[in-house]
Amino acid sequence: MDKLIITGGAQLSGELRISGAKNAALPILAATLLSENPVTIGNIPHLHDITTTMQLLGQMGIQLTIDEKMNIEVHSSTITKYEAPYELVKTMRASILVLGPLLSRFGEAHVSLPGGCAIGSRPVDIHIDSLIKMGADIQVEAGYIHAKVKRLKGCRLVLDKVTVTGTENLLMAAVLAEGTTILENAAKEPEVSDLAHFLNAMGAKITGIDTDILTIEGVDKLDKKEIHYNIIPDRIETGTYLVAAAITRGRVKLKDTRPDTLDAVLEKLKEAGADITSGDDWIELDMHGKRPKAVTLRTAPYPAFPTDMQAQFTAMNIVAEGVGIITETVFENRFMHVQEMQRMGANIQLESNTAICTGSEKITGAPVMATDLRASASLVIAGLVAEGETLVDRIYHIDRGYDHIEEKLSQLGATIRRIPR
Ligand code: UD1
């Protein structure tokens, strides 16, 4: 397994281009299943999860072509089976996103249950119960969801919890359903809106985009031709590099991004002492060489502070001035990075879903490993300021969601290298 070695101490400075959003690319690639015509998706990030999604679609018999600029053309009319097998779902939970489109367009889907994962139990009960309300016959047997329907029927669905992939699955299911579906308490994450805009570009009729009530008027087919759709920039990648610059007391300008999707994160960085300027598609952060101040925050669905930025802010708090309290409300077990940070000398007290971080002047490099994507990124960030070398193991998690992380950090002046297995 590849590892990353980081030598702490360099102050980051420079400019970077932000990649397309992983969490928008995955549902949008799944949504290509809904169209009768070839569709091209652009601004696709170079990530392991994208490769997994291509394998997932490929094993269904779908033709995919990818060019050197990472545009992916999908012809879903060549589909031969309606299945997401365990071997792929176990490596990427987001594979569940094919359930809604397969059922909606082909009336049949066999999708392995994702099961538990490092950050909690993460059930898919809301996806399944809502599809049953839309008329699907669903059996869960031997670890698989088997779903069948003649045609889904639109109805009013009030989601028990705000769920991002749940909202996306139901949105995709509803576009070809008979009649109107009203999704209440829907997730408003920018990636959900990106998917909705893409579906509308293919011929769907969705209104209420960016709000928590989505209305979907079912259509018989999505028959718009010559669709080329570009994925929105990755707000979590953006936030991660902003924190990396802040923790090293540096300065960074990030281009091809969307500051309007990062309000809560930028607010907390300002509180930490960062000077932030931005335009339509760029953000600049400057610490003017100062140590960050610890911040207190609480994760919650968009537009509140994202759970996917919690670990990175924990890393910043452990070397910041003062005490910062981090409360995780979205996932029950998302503090796997804390123990590893403690091995680097961090002063963190964990009390159920709260991490009380007291900033230290100094942390030290150590061999560490993480069990999820954002936790791995937070350990790399901690390594940037730790004294000596930090060796981050199991970085396949990072490769799932960060496009060329060591190259991008090197470009900003970090001392980081990959050791191939
Ligand atoms: C998505 C993101 C992930 C992010 C998360 C929260 C993708 C591919 N992944 O994950 O990066 O961390 O949103 O912003 O977009 N829940 C249920 N029943 C369900 C579905 C969800 O109880 O049927 C619960 C979950 O256990 C969790 C909460 O709802 O506690 C939110 O989860 P959800 O928004 O569904 O996360 P994902 O869509 O899996």
Side-chain angles (χ1 to χ4, degrees), residues 86 89-91 93 113-124 332:
Y86 176 66
V89 179
K90 76 172 182 206
T91 63
R93 289 182 46 88
L113 274 173
C117 81
I119 61 175
S121 65
R122 294 180 84 174
V124 288
E332 80 243 29

Side-chain angles (χ1 to χ4, degrees), residues 337-348:
H337 43 287
V338 164
Q339 267 188 356
E340 299 299 295
M341 288 178 185
Q342 283 166 338
R343 296 183 53 247
M344 299 173 78
N347 182 349
I348 310 174

Side-chain angles (χ1 to χ4, degrees), residues 4 30 67 72 88 156 163 174 225 249 268 274 294 301 309 335:
L4 285 175
D67 69 15
I72 300 184
L88 292 172
R156 177 169 170 249
T163 155
K225 294 202 168 94
R249 310 181 187 190
K268 288 294 160 190
M309 284 301 303
F335 280 124

Side-chain angles (χ1 to χ4, degrees), residues 26 49 51-53 55-57 59-60 82-99 102 109-118 122 124 127 142-145 169 400:
L26 303 182
D49 274 5
T51 315
T52 308
T53 307
Q55 281 173 344
L56 181 63
L57 296 176
Q59 61 80 40
M60 291 181 200
Y82 313 114
E83 187 187 332
Y86 176 66
E87 300 77 65
L88 292 172
V89 179
K90 76 172 182 206
T91 63
M92 188 184 71
R93 289 182 46 88
S95 310
I96 188 77
L97 285 165
V98 298
L99 176 62
L102 282 178
H110 308 277
V111 178
S112 169
L113 274 173
C117 81
R122 294 180 84 174
V124 288
H127 305 230
Y144 270 77
I145 304 167
N169 237 336
R400 281 189 40 223

Side-chain angles (χ1 to χ4, degrees), residues 56-234:
L56 181 63
L57 296 176
Q59 61 80 40
M60 291 181 200
I62 290 167
Q63 270 179 28
L64 299 129
T65 30
I66 183 159
D67 69 15
E68 70 290 347
K69 288 190 177 148
M70 291 294 287
N71 292 303
I72 300 184
E73 189 179 307
V74 188
H75 291 238
S76 71
S77 51
T78 56
I79 193 161
T80 51
K81 57 178 181 173
Y82 313 114
E83 187 187 332
Y86 176 66
E87 300 77 65
L88 292 172
V89 179
K90 76 172 182 206
T91 63
M92 188 184 71
R93 289 182 46 88
S95 310
I96 188 77
L97 285 165
V98 298
L99 176 62
L102 282 178
L103 192 58
S104 186
R105 170 130 182 253
F106 305 104
E108 186 178 340
H110 308 277
V111 178
S112 169
L113 274 173
C117 81
I119 61 175
S121 65
R122 294 180 84 174
V124 288
D125 54 322
I126 298 171
H127 305 230
I128 294 176
D129 294 350
S130 307
L131 289 171
I132 291 173
K133 285 188 187 135
M134 293 177 80
D137 171 20
I138 299 190
Q139 310 293 331
V140 179
E141 256 173 43
Y144 270 77
I145 304 167
H146 298 284
K148 275 208 153 122
V149 74
K150 203 149 174 254
R151 187 175 181 189
L152 290 168
K153 287 199 171 44
C155 64
R156 177 169 170 249
L157 296 167
V158 184
L159 306 185
D160 274 356
K161 263 192 187 168
V162 179
T163 155
V164 174
T165 49
T167 302
E168 292 166 346
N169 237 336
L170 297 170
L171 200 51
M172 292 187 277
V175 292
L176 294 180
E178 189 184 328
T180 302
T181 304
I182 300 170
L183 266 182
E184 294 188 26
N185 199 27
K188 298 186 285 209
E189 267 66 5
E191 296 76 21
V192 175
S193 301
D194 205 29
L195 169 66
H197 288 303
F198 171 63
L199 291 168
N200 278 352
M202 289 200 297
K205 292 190 175 160
I206 303 167
T207 53
I209 300 175
D210 292 334
T211 77
D212 57 6
I213 303 183
L214 293 165
T215 304
I216 308 107
E217 204 186 305
V219 295
D220 290 339
K221 44 171 110 163
L222 300 183
D223 54 6
K224 290 266 163 57
K225 294 202 168 94
E226 292 177 29
I227 305 291
H228 182 114
Y229 191 87
N230 282 326
I231 305 284
I232 53 165
D234 197 312

Side-chain angles (χ1 to χ4, degrees), residues 10-16 241-255 273-277 282-290 384 408-409 411-414:
Q11 195 171 73
L12 298 196
S13 135
E15 290 190 1
L16 269 191
Y241 287 109
L242 290 175
V243 174
I247 198 171
T248 63
R249 310 181 187 190
R251 186 203 67 82
V252 73
K253 183 172 183 182
L254 303 177
K255 296 184 294 189
D275 191 1
I276 297 204
T277 41
W282 59 270
I283 305 177
E284 189 165 340
L285 173 145
D286 196 343
M287 290 302 285
H288 301 290
K290 285 180 305 195
L384 293 173
K408 287 190 175 187
L409 283 172
Q411 201 180 317
L412 297 176

